[in-house]
Amino acid sequence: MTNSRTKIAVAGAGYVGLSMALLLAKKNEVVCLDIDSAKVAKLNAKVCPIEDEQIADCLENQSLDFRATLNAKDAYVNASYVVIATPTDYDVENNFFNTDSIESVIRDVKAINPNAVMVIRSTVPVGYTSKAKETFNTDKLFFSPEFLREGHSITDNLYPARIVVGESTERAEVFVKLLEQAAVKSDIKVLFTHNSEAEAIKLFANTYLAMRVAYFNELDSYAAIHGLDTSQIIE
């Protein structure tokens, strides 16, 4: 499959979905689905709809088999993989991720192209993918987290620190090959886990990064209070 051009649909044209879509489009046919008509129009005119210099440069200057659409059928028909990168905003008051957009994609894919393999890249709670497989009665769904920095998503896709996939199957291995083809870095560390473990990896990675930022903020505050050189302490 990876030796020929594979049709891949990407649901969600935020920085996660868009950066991945553009890099995959160098060697595959990629159709990006979004509900924002203005965003879709800009993408088809090779204008970046979000504030990201790397994505803008890739969109304007790379030779890509890429287009955007508002039509789910246009995106999903004949797609081998559907990458789900829709927003799952966390509601602090109710303490839950809003996964409605993911479920909408799953329903549409099942109706339009039930043979497509769906890969969730949106951030979800631990256990979500397993529950979704039961709820929607599908085995064509797995989770693969992204580890991207906003504003550096192209670089982080080209030089990934690791690739984590929530199942160990042939289709998961093909998906990894697609990501490796899009990358510049060789010998990328690949970890095949269960879906819930992959979801936990993403959430704990986010938590660790937030904790590290808070830690160094405290260090800087302490140094300022005591007249110390922060850079010397960190180094």
Side-chain angles (χ1 to χ4, degrees):
M1 180 182 293
T2 55
N3 292 325
S4 59
R5 298 185 78 80
T6 301
K7 182 179 179 183
I8 303 167
V10 177
Y15 79 94
V16 173
L18 189 52
S19 60
M20 182 181 181
L22 295 178
L23 293 179
L24 288 172
K26 291 181 179 181
K27 296 185 178 180
N28 303 280
E29 176 190 356
V30 178
V31 181
C32 190
L33 176 71
D34 202 88
I35 60 173
D36 187 330
S37 59
K39 183 179 287 188
V40 167
K42 285 184 177 181
L43 287 172
N44 287 327
K46 294 190 174 183
V47 175
C48 185
I50 58 179
E51 291 293 329
D52 191 302
E53 291 182 4
Q54 292 185 330
I55 291 177
D57 180 69
C58 184
L59 186 63
E60 294 169 12
N61 300 312
Q62 296 289 329
S63 177
L64 306 171
D65 188 351
F66 170 86
R67 59 188 173 86
T69 184
L70 296 165
N71 189 300
K73 186 174 182 180
D74 180 28
Y76 301 149
V77 166
N78 296 325
S80 297
Y81 288 86
V82 175
V83 178
I84 305 174
T86 56
T88 52
D89 298 328
Y90 185 73
D91 189 319
V92 178
E93 292 185 2
N94 296 312
N95 194 33
F96 81 103
F97 287 96
N98 185 344
T99 57
D100 290 349
S101 62
I102 296 178
E103 284 135 32
S104 177
V105 172
I106 295 172
R107 281 191 291 268
D108 286 346
V109 173
K110 284 199 66 180
I112 296 168
N113 182 4
N115 293 320
V117 176
M118 294 171 281
V119 184
I120 299 174
R121 300 218 96 187
S122 304
T123 303
V124 296
V126 176
Y128 175 81
T129 305
S130 294
K131 184 178 179 181
K133 290 173 72 173
E134 292 180 6
T135 300
F136 293 97
N137 190 28
T138 180
D139 64 348
K140 297 186 180 299
L141 182 69
F142 63 83
F143 181 76
S144 178
E146 50 80 20
F147 302 99
L148 307 179
R149 297 167 296 164
E150 196 164 350
H152 300 275
S153 54
I154 293 292
T155 297
D156 291 343
N157 272 314
L158 289 173
Y159 300 93
R162 70 281 203 198
I163 296 173
V164 178
V165 183
E167 66 176 36
S168 181
T169 59
E170 182 179 353
R171 68 191 187 189
E173 291 176 0
V174 171
F175 181 71
V176 168
K177 292 296 182 185
L178 291 170
L179 296 181
E180 289 176 332
Q181 284 180 350
V184 171
K185 182 181 178 181
S186 58
D187 299 321
I188 303 167
K189 184 176 181 179
V190 179
L191 181 62
F192 294 97
T193 69
H194 296 107
N195 282 311
S196 294
E197 281 74 11
E199 292 160 349
I201 287 169
K202 171 60 178 174
L203 294 175
F204 277 106
N206 285 357
T207 305
Y208 171 73
L209 292 173
M211 182 177 66
R212 190 171 66 175
V213 170
Y215 178 86
F216 281 101
N217 284 340
E218 289 299 315
L219 185 157
D220 186 59
S221 296
Y222 180 89
I225 291 169
H226 294 279
L228 307 176
D229 186 331
T230 302
S231 62
Q232 288 189 6
I233 301 170
I234 292 174
E235 186 178 352

